[in-house]
Amino acid sequence: MNRVRSLYVVVLLGVVISLTLTPPPAVAQNKISRFLTDEGEPPMSAVIGYIPLSPDSALVVDNTDSIFLIISDRRERLLGQKGGGSCEHQQVTSYTLAGDTLFVLDTQLGRITGYSIHTGECLKEVVMPELAQFSQIEKNGNWFYLAKANYNSSDPPDEPLLYRLGSEGDLLPLALTIEDLDADLLLLPFKVGQRVNTIKPRGNKLYFILPFSHRIWQYDTETKLFSSFNLKNESAEIAKYSSSTDFEEVAKLVPRLEIELDLFLLEDRVIVLSIFQNQYRLRSYSYSGDLIAEEKDVQHVYFHERENLYSLVSTNSDTEIYAIELVNFFSVR
């Protein structure tokens, strides 16, 4: 079968990963007998996100307009469909799972849509033109938290980057601005990689990454205070707030920037996934910001469950396209 349109049904064999089960032991086998397999005619081309739900179901996100697929008992179901009507989406850039509801952010339609992960039913829609400016979303309590990721040196330095959206549609800016980033910003906007679900909660804090700042940001939902710590990166020094309007000139600078793409919050460490010169890498930090370890030339699709990190690894099989592997913590470098 054509692998480009493959990658669909999750086959659960042996070791299962479930939110309701006890975590795997500290010393576990490196290979997990669980695969994304090729059955049927799926609209997917490559997996970019994976959320286990139970021993026999998971949410899978692909890179064709971020179609969301729920897979249960080896049977697939789309959550929503592409379009501009009610309960449809055009360009999903982020998602968050809250209880039994998956919320997706569509920047093109300016819409947040909630789907039941059990029935696929569309449960809630928030339609606001202002939502088009955001690309990251997280639901915490009764609030949605939204972060901008598309900003450049032409934006006002006091432009807020993180907002809170209430149930009544009140969109409130929080006290984090472009000026606070102290980042190397380019004048022309660039989309560097596809980000999904980069804001993540742990306790009463939200952790998130903002492009070009090379930091992990923390927002305390109780004290309403921000804090951050620096991340190691290999970005070349570029002129801060570059004023160049030449596309080719600015484009030459982009490969010289290491871009942080995702983070995973484990019990004793934060794992950061980044890309630099077409090579993915993982770095492990303490919650106080100390670099623990790093690994280069790694996979690009990860998920964590309880206190374990897993990767989706491409195989040479025409049917079992991706294997799921436990990531052993790399040694200190």
XYZ file of all heavy atoms in Angstrom, residues 6 16 21 63 86 123 152 163 168 187 195 263 275 290 317 332:
128
model
N -0.918 6.345 4.051
C -1.127 5.299 5.037
C -1.208 5.843 6.437
O -1.508 6.991 6.649
C -0.008 4.261 4.941
O 0.052 3.724 3.645
N 0.336 -2.157 26.731
C -0.562 -1.059 26.422
C -0.206 0.120 27.275
O 0.308 -0.009 28.364
C -2.051 -1.442 26.645
C -2.468 -2.521 25.687
C -2.279 -1.852 28.088
N -3.933 3.253 33.698
C -3.152 2.142 34.202
C -1.928 2.642 34.938
O -1.529 3.783 34.817
C -2.712 1.243 33.031
C -3.849 0.554 32.261
C -3.268 -0.315 31.176
C -4.718 -0.266 33.196
N -0.657 15.519 9.257
C -0.199 16.814 8.771
C -0.945 17.301 7.540
O -0.503 18.216 6.868
C 1.296 16.769 8.464
C 1.635 15.901 7.273
O 0.799 15.106 6.821
N 2.855 16.011 6.770
N -20.507 24.893 10.131
C -20.531 24.598 11.556
C -19.865 23.262 11.834
O -20.066 22.286 11.108
C -21.980 24.573 12.047
O -22.044 24.260 13.415
N -19.584 19.541 20.339
C -20.226 19.951 21.582
C -20.225 21.460 21.796
O -21.099 21.997 22.475
C -19.509 19.298 22.770
C -19.480 17.775 22.782
C -18.649 17.287 23.962
C -20.897 17.217 22.856
N 6.824 39.440 14.790
C 8.136 39.804 14.272
C 8.496 41.211 14.727
O 7.765 41.832 15.501
C 8.157 39.682 12.745
C 7.102 40.553 12.080
O 7.232 41.770 12.061
N 6.060 39.932 11.536
N -2.984 35.330 26.184
C -4.317 35.826 26.514
C -5.091 34.737 27.251
O -4.788 33.548 27.140
C -5.088 36.214 25.244
C -4.648 37.520 24.614
C -3.438 37.611 23.929
C -5.447 38.655 24.684
C -3.040 38.803 23.339
C -5.061 39.844 24.098
C -3.860 39.911 23.432
O -3.474 41.095 22.858
N -17.596 33.673 28.769
C -18.467 34.714 28.215
C -17.861 35.383 26.990
O -18.378 36.387 26.500
C -18.749 35.773 29.290
C -19.415 35.230 30.547
C -20.750 34.588 30.249
O -21.479 35.126 29.380
O -21.054 33.557 30.865
N 12.111 40.790 10.712
C 11.006 41.647 10.285
C 9.936 40.849 9.549
O 8.754 41.027 9.779
C 11.536 42.772 9.386
C 10.475 43.747 8.862
C 9.786 44.446 10.023
C 11.098 44.786 7.935
N 3.416 23.660 15.020
C 3.330 23.494 16.469
C 1.925 23.037 16.842
O 0.949 23.597 16.380
C 3.639 24.806 17.183
C 5.050 25.273 16.952
C 5.270 26.634 17.591
N 6.592 27.127 17.231
C 6.855 27.757 16.101
N 5.904 27.968 15.236
N 8.071 28.163 15.835
N 7.453 20.661 24.201
C 7.998 20.335 25.508
C 7.122 19.294 26.180
O 5.926 19.196 25.892
C 8.124 21.574 26.393
C 6.858 22.170 27.014
C 7.227 23.093 28.164
C 6.081 22.978 25.989
N 14.654 21.821 16.592
C 15.213 21.474 15.293
C 16.257 22.516 14.929
O 16.077 23.716 15.152
C 14.121 21.376 14.206
C 14.717 20.897 12.877
C 13.378 22.697 14.043
C 13.679 20.571 11.814
N 18.268 23.842 35.013
C 19.586 23.238 34.808
C 19.526 22.208 33.686
O 18.645 21.352 33.661
C 20.070 22.558 36.090
C 20.238 23.541 37.241
O 20.730 24.659 36.988
O 19.856 23.202 38.378
N 8.487 -1.482 7.405
C 7.342 -2.315 7.043
C 6.338 -1.519 6.210
O 6.159 -0.318 6.402
C 6.661 -2.827 8.313
O 5.422 -3.426 8.015
N 23.911 11.990 31.060
C 24.335 13.384 31.187
C 25.544 13.626 30.301
O 26.474 12.831 30.281
C 24.670 13.713 32.666
C 25.196 15.132 32.771
C 23.445 13.523 33.536
